[in-house]
């Protein structure tokens, strides 16, 4: 008897199951798989009114970095960066991004020698800067940081 495992929570379900008995997610059965490809936006513009969000020089504190969420449920949110800023789904994170595409302890941004360095903390979906997967990376003005489905722009104060 072969079981069907849920991609969402990993629960083992009987082979005839269509939905996970633990979380209710649709189970991926290879012989019934449908693949949907969405249109790719080469400019990767954020949906909504992000272009109308302005960052004034008053928002940038001298010597402190700032992340502005460009897409996702928290679009337009701003986060000031301290010495160590944690990013993840865990409620204790300095930047809490509540979505399944974000690991509980996804990444951190550390101020080292005057530079902000982002480090992936072994996340499942990875951390990206300017659409390249990174382990650690020194952020520069205007870099786009992607954590899960959230895209953030870095400003150096």
């Amino acid at each position: 008897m072969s079981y069907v495992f849920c991609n969402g929570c990993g629960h083992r379900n009987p082979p005839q199951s269509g939905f996970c008995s633990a979380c209710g997610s649709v189970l991926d059965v290879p012989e019934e798989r449908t693949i949907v490809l969405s249109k790719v936006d080469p400019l990767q513009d954020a949906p909504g009114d992000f272009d109308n969000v302005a960052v004034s020089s008053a928002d940038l504190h001298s010597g402190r970095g700032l992340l502005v969420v460009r897409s996702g449920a928290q679009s337009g949110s701003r986060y000031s960066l301290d010495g160590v800023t944690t990013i993840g789904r865990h409620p204790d994170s300095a930047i809490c991004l509540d979505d399944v595409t974000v690991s509980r302890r996804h990444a951190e941004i550390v101020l080292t020698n005057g530079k902000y360095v982002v480090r992936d903390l072994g996340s499942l979906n990875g951390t990206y800067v300017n659409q390249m997967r990174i382990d650690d990376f020194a952020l520069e003005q205007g870099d786009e940081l992607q954590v899960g489905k959230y895209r953030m722009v870095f400003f150096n104060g």
Side-chain angles (χ1 to χ4, degrees), residues 2-155:
S2 65
Y3 292 95
V4 178
F5 291 89
C6 177
N7 288 334
C9 68
H11 183 74
R12 183 176 71 175
N13 295 282
Q16 69 275 11
S17 300
F19 297 91
C20 178
S21 61
C23 70
S25 296
V26 176
L27 296 175
D28 185 22
V29 181
E31 49 277 349
E32 297 175 10
R33 185 177 297 162
T34 301
I35 298 173
V36 178
L37 300 175
S38 60
K39 183 178 177 184
V40 175
D41 181 1
L43 299 176
Q44 305 219 345
D45 287 332
D49 294 329
F50 177 76
D51 291 334
N52 296 332
V53 175
V55 177
S56 69
S57 59
D59 291 341
L60 297 173
H61 300 289
S62 179
R64 292 185 110 182
L66 178 73
L67 279 180
V68 178
V69 180
R70 156 169 211 249
S71 68
Q74 298 175 6
S75 182
S77 298
R78 299 155 193 245
Y79 298 99
S80 182
L81 303 176
D82 293 334
V84 176
T85 304
T86 55
I87 303 172
R89 199 174 70 232
H90 195 277
D92 291 341
S93 298
I95 301 175
C96 182
L97 304 173
D98 191 19
D99 187 74
V100 295
T101 61
V102 179
S103 296
R104 285 182 185 85
R105 299 195 192 318
H106 198 103
E108 68 182 4
I109 300 175
V110 180
L111 179 59
T112 308
N113 298 327
K115 290 242 179 213
Y116 286 94
V117 177
V118 63
R119 290 190 181 104
D120 185 79
L121 299 176
S123 64
L124 181 63
N125 292 326
T127 302
Y128 295 81
V129 174
N130 301 328
Q131 303 171 3
M132 294 184 330
R133 190 170 184 158
I134 56 100
D135 289 323
D136 32 8
F137 187 87
L139 293 171
E140 296 290 333
Q141 180 83 0
D143 280 345
E144 182 185 69
L145 171 65
Q146 182 176 349
V147 175
K149 69 178 184 179
Y150 294 89
R151 292 172 185 247
M152 297 166 271
V153 178
F154 172 74
F155 295 94

